[in-house]
Amino acid sequence: MLLLESRIRGVRLLRSAFALPFAFSVASASVVFSVFYNPASGVLNGLLSQFHLGPVGWLTDSRYALLSVAASTVWMNLGYNVLVLSAGIGSIPAEITEAARLDGAAGLRLARSVTVPLLGPSLFFLVVVSTVNALQSFGQIHILTRGGPDGSTRTLVYSVYQKAFAYGSSDFGTASAQAVVLLLVVLACTAVQFGVLERKVHYA
């Protein structure tokens, strides 16, 4: 992130590359990743073949399916995170950074002692929002794996969908109970984050 705010050559292109995921919808990004993960003609297995490695069932092997979906989810959220952190870095007063440089802080020391602490509110916001978004992930799972293989990517949200609507199912009682459990999990995670992490946030 700090590299994106530096005055190096080509930094605008770098910013655009990191912010690009923000321009994709969940559906379109999932379709792109389905091409990457394709076991027969996918980009990832093509790269593995260049190193004489066998193909991997990224979405068909229960050992890799959840990690593959998680990787696509991280990429989809990357653009939004970059924009928030860029705004946070831009809001840091220049005089604070200059004063730290005059005191001998530079590089990693400047980042650790000045930049990261002042980015506390932005980082805390992203942790909370990213956790809630991860617990509510649906589109990428529906398009990439439909909860398979062998239920390895069946999250609570997707289970609610399967119980209530998928394949003619109408088990609304179980789906409602699962939705309540999901709500409680989200509330519990948020409460823990506010109780533990917010204490370490420095609000300027």
Side-chain angles (χ1 to χ4, degrees), residues 33 37 44 57-59 61 64-73 144:
F33 272 95
Y37 290 140
L44 296 181
W58 300 104
L59 299 176
D61 190 327
Y64 306 110
L66 185 59
L67 290 175
S68 300
V69 173
S72 66
T73 302
L144 292 174

Side-chain angles (χ1 to χ4, degrees), residues 159-166 168-178:
S159 181
V160 171
Y161 163 74
Q162 288 182 318
K163 292 292 183 182
F165 307 109
S169 178
S170 58
D171 189 358
F172 297 113
T174 302
S176 299
Q178 290 179 330

Side-chain angles (χ1 to χ4, degrees), residues 20 35 49 63 94 103 116 120 128 137 139 141 152 162-163 172 178 181 184 190:
L20 183 62
V35 175
S49 66
R63 295 175 298 174
D103 287 338
V116 172
V128 174
S137 296
I141 295 173
S152 59
Q162 288 182 318
K163 292 292 183 182
F172 297 113
Q178 290 179 330
V181 171
L184 294 176
T190 305

Side-chain angles (χ1 to χ4, degrees), residues 63-204:
R63 295 175 298 174
Y64 306 110
L66 185 59
L67 290 175
S68 300
V69 173
S72 66
T73 302
V74 170
W75 186 86
M76 292 176 198
N77 292 326
L78 181 62
Y80 179 73
N81 293 347
V82 167
L83 292 177
V84 172
L85 291 178
S86 294
I89 292 176
S91 66
I92 296 177
E95 56 269 20
I96 294 180
T97 304
E98 290 300 323
R101 293 184 187 278
L102 291 175
D103 287 338
L108 291 177
R109 183 181 176 186
L110 177 64
R112 184 179 65 252
S113 302
V114 178
T115 307
V116 172
L118 292 177
L119 277 177
S122 298
L123 292 171
F124 175 66
F125 169 77
L126 288 177
V127 167
V128 174
V129 171
S130 297
T131 301
V132 174
N133 286 340
L135 291 171
Q136 295 179 335
S137 296
F138 174 82
Q140 58 269 50
I141 295 173
H142 186 62
I143 293 174
L144 292 174
T145 64
R146 295 187 180 273
D150 299 325
S152 59
T153 60
R154 187 187 297 123
T155 60
L156 198 51
V157 170
Y158 200 75
S159 181
V160 171
Y161 163 74
Q162 288 182 318
K163 292 292 183 182
F165 307 109
Y167 312 113
S169 178
S170 58
D171 189 358
F172 297 113
T174 302
S176 299
Q178 290 179 330
V180 172
V181 171
L182 175 62
L183 174 62
L184 294 176
V185 170
V186 171
L187 290 176
C189 290
T190 305
V192 170
Q193 289 169 338
F194 270 89
V196 176
L197 298 179
E198 192 182 25
R199 297 177 182 178
K200 301 179 181 180
V201 176
H202 172 74
Y203 292 98

Side-chain angles (χ1 to χ4, degrees), residues 14-67:
L14 194 61
R15 289 174 183 171
S16 299
F18 274 94
L20 183 62
F22 192 58
F24 283 79
S25 67
V26 173
S28 58
S30 298
V31 171
V32 171
F33 272 95
S34 68
V35 175
F36 286 165
Y37 290 140
N38 188 289
S41 58
V43 175
L44 296 181
N45 281 340
L47 292 175
L48 291 178
S49 66
Q50 298 299 315
F51 296 95
H52 306 288
L53 298 174
V56 174
W58 300 104
L59 299 176
T60 56
D61 190 327
S62 57
R63 295 175 298 174
Y64 306 110
L66 185 59
L67 290 175

